[in-house]
Amino acid sequence: MSNDHCEIYCFDEEKVQRARSSLKNTNFSDTSQMFKALADPTRLKIAYALLKESELCVCDVANIIRSSPATASHHLRLLRNMGLAKYRKEGKMVFYSLDDDHVKDLIRLAFDHSKELQENGNQ
């Protein structure tokens, strides 16, 4: 039997109230949608490639993920709609990059943490 739960039921009223109060004005829906977008392995690969290369055109992304440009565009559009990526047009070419340093940090931290877990034998 697992020992990962309390054996008695009691709680710290002050901590609970502070935590509940901090939850009131926080947008969990948008944040969870962002994580949902990155939960897809293909989109995470795209985000990682954008992190490493700074900017890629749709055709580059299609080749990286071994898909059609239409499929790559679909994934990139979703990342853009979630506020994770941005694009610029140059003639007939469309180039994507990660939206800002927060997104870059989020992806970098996720991969750093995953690497640490693997090194420590936690995965």
Side-chain angles (χ1 to χ4, degrees):
M1 193 164 253
S2 176
N3 289 330
D4 60 356
H5 62 277
C6 295
E7 294 182 24
I8 61 168
Y9 183 77
C10 66
F11 62 94
D12 185 320
E13 183 83 28
E14 288 181 34
K15 286 182 182 179
V16 170
Q17 289 303 320
R18 279 194 310 268
R20 283 185 180 164
S21 178
S22 70
L23 298 176
K24 287 180 184 174
N25 296 319
T26 305
N27 190 334
F28 289 97
S29 181
D30 287 349
T31 305
S32 68
Q33 288 299 312
M34 178 188 64
F35 279 108
K36 186 176 177 181
L38 291 172
D40 178 86
T42 301
R43 287 191 290 274
L44 190 56
K45 286 177 189 175
I46 292 169
Y48 188 76
L50 291 172
L51 176 68
K52 294 300 183 181
E53 294 299 325
S54 298
E55 184 178 71
L56 294 164
C57 80
V58 174
C59 296
D60 291 336
V61 171
N63 277 280
I64 290 167
I65 64 171
R66 296 191 166 124
S67 75
S68 69
T71 297
S73 289
H74 169 77
H75 286 296
L76 288 161
R77 189 176 312 110
L78 197 146
L79 290 172
R80 187 183 81 229
N81 290 342
M82 290 285 98
L84 299 169
K86 60 185 176 186
Y87 76 100
R88 69 177 180 86
K89 208 164 170 156
E90 190 175 301
K92 293 183 179 187
M93 306 282 290
V94 177
F95 293 88
Y96 277 84
S97 60
L98 294 178
D99 190 58
D100 61 24
D101 287 339
H102 293 108
V103 176
K104 292 173 188 174
D105 291 345
L106 176 68
I107 293 165
R108 190 178 295 110
L109 284 169
F111 278 96
D112 288 350
H113 183 68
S114 179
K115 184 178 177 182
E116 281 181 17
L117 288 175
Q118 288 175 349
E119 290 171 354
N120 294 328
N122 292 340
Q123 275 191 338

